[in-house]
Amino acid sequence: MAHDEAAADSVAGVQALLFDDLDGKRRVIALAVIDRVEPVATSAISFTAGALRLAIGGAIVPLHSVGTIGDREEVAVLRLTDGDSEMAYAIAEAIEIVELPPEMAPANGGGPIAGVVIIGGEQVELIDPHALFAGEPVRRASRPVCLLQSDGSGWMETFLKPALEASGYRCVTRLAAGETPAVALAMEDGPVEAVAAPIVTLRRNREGSGAQDHSIYRYDRPALIEELARRVAAQAGAAQDDSAPYIRAVTSGGAR
């Protein structure tokens, strides 16, 4: 029993970054969620389209902040990621990497604070990454490509592209060399180019032509977003199924 307890005590805890936040409080967040810590010019931060955002590296990343930036010309940000999406967290200063203790006092209510832990004899608030990503408009690190098979009128580029990119897609009207779209859009009466991706057809009339008409009314935004997500998921599932025999063959061969 004593040996088991000693072995359990020797297991390393979760590594985390201790930092001073913009509101003056000291907080800690799991290191695994941090891609990097970097200084940014405050001129790159702006409250636009109902949210605080950071313009960096040619991308616009949602930014979480619990205090005012004030007259700072530069601020440190934590670039956070869950592997699929990313966001940033503005802080005052990164302190050090610590090991989270096993015990935590849970916070009262919701929000981005999971609870309180003792680090260096002080009470420190522990950030809840799940709550951060659930409550902020995160940016997908890798966005599925949606090919707009435009009819030349400019309607797709003007009306559809902003709506689809707000939903997490990267819209293009022409594929780069070697690029494969996750899904394609075409008007029912426009040109349709054969691509290695599911094609969602848009119609101009509210009502379809019958039970066999699987097109989407071009202004039915919820139906369009739902259908795109369904087609992309189905395509991804099919790709995994196709690769399964190869994976099994390689595994079987390796076993011999």
Side-chain angles (χ1 to χ4, degrees), residues 140 143-144 161-169 221 225 228:
R140 297 175 74 166
R143 298 180 293 164
K161 185 176 179 180
L164 297 182
E165 295 203 331
S167 297
Y169 296 90
R221 183 167 175 156
I225 298 301
L228 286 174

Side-chain angles (χ1 to χ4, degrees), residues 8-16 30-31 97-102:
D9 289 341
S10 67
V11 176
V14 175
Q15 299 292 296
L31 198 62
I97 295 175
V98 298
E99 185 175 298
L100 290 178

Side-chain angles (χ1 to χ4, degrees), residues 3-227:
H3 175 75
D4 292 342
E5 290 177 353
D9 289 341
S10 67
V11 176
V14 175
Q15 299 292 296
L17 177 68
L18 185 68
F19 64 92
D20 286 337
D21 217 328
L22 290 177
D23 61 357
K25 291 185 178 296
R26 184 154 291 188
R27 295 189 171 98
V28 66
I29 186 171
L31 198 62
V33 76
I34 302 174
D35 181 58
R36 58 190 180 277
V37 183
E38 60 186 346
V40 301
T42 54
S43 59
I45 298 172
S46 181
F47 189 85
T48 52
L52 197 61
R53 305 174 194 272
L54 168 68
I56 187 168
I60 299 175
V61 180
L63 179 71
H64 182 83
S65 176
V66 298
T68 59
I69 294 175
D71 58 356
R72 292 180 173 88
E73 294 185 356
E74 193 174 76
V75 67
V77 296
L78 309 178
R79 298 289 296 274
L80 309 179
T81 180
D82 64 354
D84 294 319
S85 307
E86 64 175 319
M87 64 178 299
Y89 189 123
I91 67 172
E93 183 182 9
I95 305 299
E96 62 177 333
I97 295 175
V98 298
E99 185 175 298
L100 290 178
E103 298 295 328
M104 179 193 74
N108 291 329
I113 304 299
V116 182
V117 295
I118 299 294
I119 297 178
E122 297 182 1
Q123 296 187 41
V124 178
E125 292 182 337
L126 174 64
I127 299 293
D128 181 354
H130 188 277
L132 275 182
F133 277 79
E136 295 290 332
V138 297
R139 174 183 180 271
R140 297 175 74 166
S142 178
R143 298 180 293 164
V145 175
C146 178
L147 175 63
L148 304 180
Q149 297 199 359
S150 176
D151 60 1
S153 68
W155 183 85
M156 284 191 176
E157 296 90 326
T158 303
F159 287 81
L160 272 188
K161 185 176 179 180
L164 297 182
E165 295 203 331
S167 297
Y169 296 90
R170 180 169 67 85
C171 296
V172 299
T173 55
R174 183 176 300 175
L175 296 171
E179 187 176 36
T180 301
V183 67
L185 279 173
M187 295 299 300
E188 63 177 353
D189 55 356
V192 179
E193 179 184 349
V195 292
I199 299 176
V200 176
T201 304
L202 303 179
R203 64 175 183 268
R204 300 181 189 277
N205 299 324
R206 286 184 179 274
E207 302 300 327
S209 58
Q212 300 304 313
D213 186 351
H214 300 296
S215 63
I216 303 292
Y217 176 50
R218 62 175 180 167
Y219 285 115
D220 190 343
R221 183 167 175 156
L224 175 57
I225 298 301
E226 181 180 354
E227 182 65 10

